[in-house]
Amino acid sequence: MEKDREATENALLEAVGGLVAEEGFEKLGVNAAAARAGVSKMLIYRYFGSLDGLIAAYIRKHDFWINYRPEIPKKKHLAPFLKQMFRGQIDRLRSDTTLRRLYRWELSGNNALIAELRGQREAAGLRLVEAVSEATGRPRAEVASIATMISASVSYLALLEENCPAYNGIPLQRNAGWEQYAEGIDALVDLWLENLKNKSK
């Protein structure tokens, strides 16, 4: 029974991914998701509680920060780690059209399921902030501010990409534009860590 449930849940999550990627969030409904998965729509209510529950489950499964559980390196290895981390966020969002579109659903609502998603993402972020703060010896507030400026801009630009060709001259619909942007993030990380070295002298 557990294997059957897992298979059904996976089929429904894959159905959400396909439908939203191909037709947009507006066409997503209980009937459409169940038909694409080849299961009864009653199983959506049984396993996920509602269509919103199914959507939240997709986001939870694919969200970069919720699923990010790294080992934080020592200070001397922190720069490449942080650069790769933010590049990972970029890659995750750019590779999943469905996730980007469902983030818009999340941003437009405020129910218990959305609050739970945000709480899980916040807890993951706070763990990272605390770990980087310990590794650098810098206050959590400082680390949190820098991490927020970078991670929030990644999310914002990724959501813009589909309908906005450029931002401050950076071509968002081209890989070269995102590499330019990622190199800017790399430079910010280097500047911050170099500033830490100067403060410690």
Side-chain angles (χ1 to χ4, degrees), residues 89 147-159 178 181 185:
Q89 183 192 6
T148 298
M149 285 186 284
I150 297 174
S151 63
S153 72
V154 170
S155 295
Y156 178 69
L157 292 176
L159 292 180
W178 281 92
Y181 171 61
I185 292 175

Side-chain angles (χ1 to χ4, degrees), residues 55 91 124 154:
I55 294 169
D91 291 343
V154 170

Side-chain angles (χ1 to χ4, degrees), residues 102-144:
L102 294 185
Y103 274 175
R104 297 190 188 107
W105 165 82
E106 181 185 336
L107 288 170
S108 67
N110 190 28
N111 57 40
L113 291 165
I114 291 173
E116 183 180 355
L117 282 173
R118 291 171 180 165
Q120 290 175 326
R121 199 177 292 124
E122 178 72 1
L126 288 175
R127 284 193 297 270
L128 281 166
V129 165
E130 178 67 30
V132 174
S133 176
E134 289 181 6
T136 59
R138 297 304 301 164
R140 279 174 290 179
E142 177 183 303
V143 176

